[in-house]
Amino acid sequence: MKFSENWLRELVNPNIGTQALVDQVTMAGLEVDEVIPAARAFSNVVVGEILTAEQHPNADKLQVCTVSDGTETLQVVCGAPNARAGLKTAYAKVGAVLPTPEGGEFKIKKAKLRQVESFGMLCAEDELGISDDHGGIMELAADAPVGACIREYLGLDDHIIDVDLTPNRGDCLSIKGLAREVGVLNKAPVTYVPIAAVHASIDDTLPIRLEAPNACPRYLGRVIRGVDVAAKTPLWMVEKLRRSGIRSIDPIVDVTNYVLLELGQPLHAFDLNKLDGGIVVRYPEAGEKLTLLDGNEVELNSDTLVIADESKPVAMAGIFGGEATGVTAVSQDIFLECAFFDQIAIAGRARAYGLHTDSSHRYERGVDWQLQREGIERATALLLEIAGGQAGPVTEASDEQHLPSASTVTLRHSKVNAMLAFDMPSAEIEEILTRLGMEVTASGEGEWRVAVPSYRFDITIEVDLIEELARVYGYNNLPVKVPTAQLPFTPCAESQVTVQSLRRTLVALGYQEAVTYSFIEAGLQRQFDDQHEALALANPISAEMAVMRTTIWPGLVKALQHNQNRQQSRVRLFETGQCFIQQGDELKQEKMLAGLLSGNREPERWTGKSSPVDFYDIKGDLETVLGLGGVADEFTFVAGSHVALHPGQSAEIHRNGDVVGRVGALHPALVKSLGVTGPVYLFEIELGSVLEGKVSKFDDLSKFPESRRDLAVVVAENVAYDVVKAVAMEQGGEYLKKVTLFDVYQGQGIEVGRKSLALGLTWQHPSRTLNEEEINTAVENVINTLQSAVGATLRD
């Protein structure tokens, strides 16, 4: 929020300079982003009055003006289209020093333009460094004192302060709120603008009906007839609006904007004669549309609260007015509205239409629910003063059931001392809270009941009050103590694999760790998981982050897409994170490990072209990770299917009979729809199953030789090697140490639909040499069991 320092000091004027004020406000939690002067440095510029303006004899676009500076009349050549007799403007006299766009300065000298002498210069706003407006010379009020210093007349020795407020401090989105805060910090008196009720001079009213009282529990309106929209907004208001970043439009809009800045209460004015019947606050009907004040037509979402008359929507509540009922240059009668809207009813609605307005910004952060009467009376008084007219009585529709209630919080002295780490005196606690506008009542020894004012809707619990005490007391004034605490080491079971070792292993394999959002787009979620319904967020950041993920894969694939769009074709990513599975009324948060592999097997190098990765690359990497706990033999890969994986290149990962993960190639249809370059390989496994290992134990190394036999068995091509290996290990006897697959063959000499597996079986006894008969018996057991279990035959 931008505001004028001079405007703030009209309400509260502590005896500190600009920089001290900025530092103080920042340390109080209202961070200042920028401080800039209200105008660049210039000198010898006064209020001048154009007495005559005649066409230049030698130039079509120039005028020769006679200008009075209050003491003498001088001739000035001017090219501004709005230069005219009777206009009061900024006149830079000969010898004046003006700023340049590049940051320098130049001096005004007597000049001759197309053979006509010119003594000085009539200035536009950008030429004085006030704004970027160069549409013509400045137009000052008719009562501007001729000859007065323009800096003094416009109050340009001022600073524009831009404060970046946190979302919980909506009470400071106004000059009144900021003044209140500065007054508290400096123990300085604050002079608020007195607001009296405007007496109704006519009886005209407009009926108001609340059909959505939970979203709008209070709505005030007032009929004002006979306003002059062409009236001139006073200079003081125009300048205050300009220094707050708002352009002056007409007195009706200017007054509503001014009250918004002054009090923090948004208002809106409708053309009374364009309203059909009364006002209805409701949700839109299916298919209803609204043309906004900026000319854009939008189709209203079902959750967008609207202000309507008896036949149509006329505004998006708390966000934007409609063009059909907007005030124009010919409007004479207006209906002024002022309402309280629930934060949740407005939050996110403007973003859904690509909008962000001063009004929605305040309603989303919270508006004082007792401010509406004050706001409409202040706006009425200003409108009648500037644009004239006659005001009717204020009509109010409210639903007490849905209005917020006054909050009372219990504060304990012991809790304050514990959290601030020093003994804050009771008198100081009471004094700070009272300065903050709270009513403090002692309710026991070292305990208070604190009534929170309606504008501090962010204070609901005890720690909120303690935060206020620390903030106002001054964070820099709090004592600095070295914290002491018991820090016992967290026991780590020897059988457990740490997440750090998983990460180190994957990084050593060439992967990079990614951290993707837990929120994803609903359609993308369904493409990757058709088994679980994703939990939808009540107030999503955007449509692309509307549901909680049930799998990490979508985020990794989007990261791959991002990299490929930037010419990074070789991508290896992994992530550890939570997935959110809805199980009945409960939300299960499952920690998972996921990985992605795409591109070439090796980086580009001079020794030769690298081949692309395949299923066995990612499976091998995963097996390396599974082996960290010493329980790799407990995991098996079983052919399976998944909506996101290639039907012929996917497997389930089992541990002791339970499905704990999946691995495979991304489905070709997904590769195409997501626009990534394939193939892409993925794995995802429950993190707990990977971390659960076993304690290694020492066995003596055998001093006796190994014995090895090689077998070539022919099996059906759909028989997995894991099945063959399991049979061999089981039937090979207790001294069979290792089964190695060293060849797979299909082709000439092998029947169609079958394959040859060449196995190396290694035996070793711990205390003697195995004899030939023992080895042959074990081999025979393996062959016989393979024949009966999987239909294997020895290859000729």
Side-chain angles (χ1 to χ4, degrees), residues 20-52:
L21 176 65
V22 166
D23 294 342
Q24 184 184 70
V25 168
T26 297
M27 285 305 299
L30 313 179
E31 183 180 355
V32 175
D33 277 350
E34 185 181 38
V35 180
I36 59 173
R40 299 266 304 278
F42 61 83
S43 63
N44 208 15
V45 181
V46 300
V47 176
E49 181 178 9
I50 301 177
L51 303 177
T52 63

Side-chain angles (χ1 to χ4, degrees), residues 409-416 419 446-448 459-469:
V409 181
T410 299
L411 178 65
R412 296 165 292 168
H413 198 176
S414 59
K415 188 70 171 178
V416 174
M419 296 198 71
E447 188 172 292
W448 298 273
I459 297 178
T460 57
I461 57 178
E462 185 177 29
V463 292
D464 294 334
L465 292 173
I466 297 173
E467 181 185 8
E468 290 299 295
L469 292 173

Side-chain angles (χ1 to χ4, degrees), residues 749-770:
I750 304 296
E751 297 178 38
V752 176
R754 295 176 71 80
K755 62 185 176 183
S756 170
L757 303 179
L759 309 176
L761 285 68
T762 303
W763 287 266
Q764 187 178 37
H765 196 283
S767 60
R768 63 182 176 84
T769 302
L770 291 169

Side-chain angles (χ1 to χ4, degrees), residues 13 41 61 213 245 252 261 295 321 360 363 389 514 516 528 584 615 621 648 662 672 699 705 710 722 756 793:
N13 192 14
K61 294 184 178 181
I252 313 300
L261 292 172
S360 68
Y363 277 124
T516 63
F528 279 87
F615 175 85
D621 291 342
R662 298 179 185 277
K672 183 177 180 181
D699 281 335
D710 292 341
D722 278 351
S756 170
T793 60

Side-chain angles (χ1 to χ4, degrees), residues 538-609:
N539 183 25
I541 298 172
S542 66
E544 287 73 31
M545 297 184 178
V547 300
M548 304 292 284
R549 68 185 181 190
T550 63
T551 170
I552 299 176
W553 284 346
L556 292 180
V557 174
K558 293 293 284 185
L560 169 66
Q561 183 185 54
H562 183 86
N563 278 275
Q564 287 185 344
N565 289 341
R566 287 154 182 79
Q567 292 82 48
Q568 300 300 314
S569 59
R570 187 175 184 271
V571 178
R572 295 174 179 230
L573 300 172
F574 78 93
E575 179 175 3
T576 57
Q578 289 186 329
C579 293
F580 306 86
I581 311 295
Q582 191 78 41
Q583 294 183 340
D585 295 333
E586 295 185 2
L587 184 67
K588 181 182 178 183
Q589 300 185 40
E590 187 73 51
K591 291 186 177 180
M592 306 293 289
L593 168 67
L596 176 147
L597 191 63
S598 180
N600 288 335
R601 184 171 289 115
E602 300 290 341
E604 185 178 4
R605 60 184 62 185
W606 66 271
T607 54
K609 186 176 181 181

Side-chain angles (χ1 to χ4, degrees), residues 256-319:
T256 57
N257 283 334
Y258 181 81
V259 174
L260 175 139
L261 292 172
E262 183 183 58
L263 303 180
Q265 174 62 55
L267 299 99
H268 184 67
F270 298 101
D271 188 321
L272 179 66
N273 298 316
K274 295 176 183 177
L275 293 173
D276 181 12
I279 291 292
V280 184
V281 184
R282 60 175 174 83
Y283 284 104
E285 299 171 2
E288 278 193 313
K289 296 182 178 181
L290 175 66
T291 301
L292 303 175
L293 284 168
D294 61 5
N296 291 322
E297 184 182 68
V298 296
E299 183 169 343
L300 297 167
N301 299 330
S302 60
D303 62 348
T304 302
L305 190 69
V306 298
I307 310 300
D309 58 20
E310 296 296 343
S311 62
K312 62 186 179 302
V314 295
M316 293 168 65
I319 300 175

Side-chain angles (χ1 to χ4, degrees), residues 203-208 221-223 272 275-279 335 393 395:
D203 297 327
D204 296 12
T205 61
L206 208 61
I208 301 168
R222 177 176 238 160
V223 173
L272 179 66
L275 293 173
D276 181 12
I279 291 292
F335 179 72
T395 304

